[in-house]
């Protein structure tokens, strides 16, 4: 029985879209952790910093996969337009994460059913799950 192989070209195209968004998330969380103000957000700053670290770690993993597949990682990340107020920052982080999650999910159809492609699919699913948990946490913070 032939197994559906990884579509390398499509995976590289889709990872090329997802990686800058992943890096953008890491940068946005870093800036948010250092700049969000207000007594009600003090407990959130360390959590935002941990989110930034996790996103950067996953960006490294995505970059490794891109390079292993023969592609080149991005060299720049677009802006993220964080507002200056706490509620605005939290709302914008939610928007950015949802966009990144969708880009990661769009990569999954390029994965096939061989060992190497299943590994990529599971990595993407793990990142998506973690990022969705971050969104859920931000939504709870948003509800006040």
């Amino acid at each position: 029985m032939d197994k559906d192989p990884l579509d390398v070209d499509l995976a590289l195209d889709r990872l090329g879209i997802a990686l800058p968004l992943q890096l953008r998330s890491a940068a946005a969380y870093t800036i948010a952790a250092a700049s969000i103000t207000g007594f009600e957000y003090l407990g959130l700053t360390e959590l935002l910093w941990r989110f930034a670290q996790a996103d950067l770690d996953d960006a490294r993993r995505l970059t490794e996969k891109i390079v292993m597949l023969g592609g080149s990682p991005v060299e720049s990340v677009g802006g993220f337009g964080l507002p200056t107020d706490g509620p605005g920052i939290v709302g914008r982080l939610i928007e950015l994460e949802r966009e990144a999650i969708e880009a990661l999910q769009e990569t999954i159809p390029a994965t096939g059913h061989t060992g190497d492609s299943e590994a990529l699919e599971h990595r993407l699913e793990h990142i998506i799950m973690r990022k969705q948990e971050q969104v859920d946490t931000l939504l709870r913070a948003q509800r006040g």
Side-chain angles (χ1 to χ4, degrees), residues 41 44 90 136-144:
Y41 295 105
L44 194 57
V90 171
D136 293 347
T137 298
L138 292 170
L139 286 169
R140 286 195 330 266
Q142 195 178 47
R143 291 182 187 147

Side-chain angles (χ1 to χ4, degrees), residues 17-37:
I17 294 167
L19 179 59
L21 300 179
Q22 183 67 22
L23 289 165
R24 182 184 70 180
S25 289
Y29 278 125
T30 300
I31 299 300
S35 64
I36 199 167
T37 58

Side-chain angles (χ1 to χ4, degrees), residues 63-136:
T63 300
E64 288 171 346
K65 184 53 76 172
I66 289 169
V67 170
M68 192 283 306
L69 292 174
S72 298
V74 297
E75 295 183 8
S76 64
V77 177
F80 38 85
L82 281 183
T84 57
D85 64 301
I89 289 172
V90 171
R92 181 66 178 142
L93 289 172
I94 292 168
E95 291 171 8
L96 295 174
E97 281 297 75
R98 286 180 170 159
E99 186 179 354
I101 288 168
E102 287 304 311
L104 290 162
Q105 191 281 323
E106 287 294 320
T107 306
I108 291 174
T111 64
H113 295 95
T114 59
D116 60 339
S117 61
E118 287 286 334
L120 173 58
E121 180 180 348
H122 289 297
R123 171 59 61 197
L124 292 166
E125 289 169 344
H126 176 78
I127 296 170
I128 290 167
M129 180 184 65
R130 185 188 55 71
K131 291 177 82 60
Q132 184 59 52
E133 289 172 347
Q134 290 174 184
V135 169
D136 293 347

